[in-house]
Amino acid sequence: MFGRRCAIASGPISFDTIVEASGLEAGTVSSILLQLELLGLVSLKQGLKTPVILS
């Protein structure tokens, strides 16, 4: 998709793991996660920067 590996986690995954695995800058990942959250595709756990894919 972005010339990088793509994966879908079956459970919570840390922000740092996403940044490391994607090779993108933290600000870019944060922006993408915000867009996904606004679309209802990702949810952040209370108090943690852990995105979770919703079913």
Side-chain angles (χ1 to χ4, degrees), residues 7-34:
I8 297 176
S10 60
I13 183 170
S14 73
F15 179 82
D16 290 338
T17 301
I18 295 171
V19 171
E20 185 178 318
S22 69
L24 299 171
E25 293 185 13
T28 301
V29 171
S30 182
S31 176
I32 292 168
L33 289 176
L34 174 61

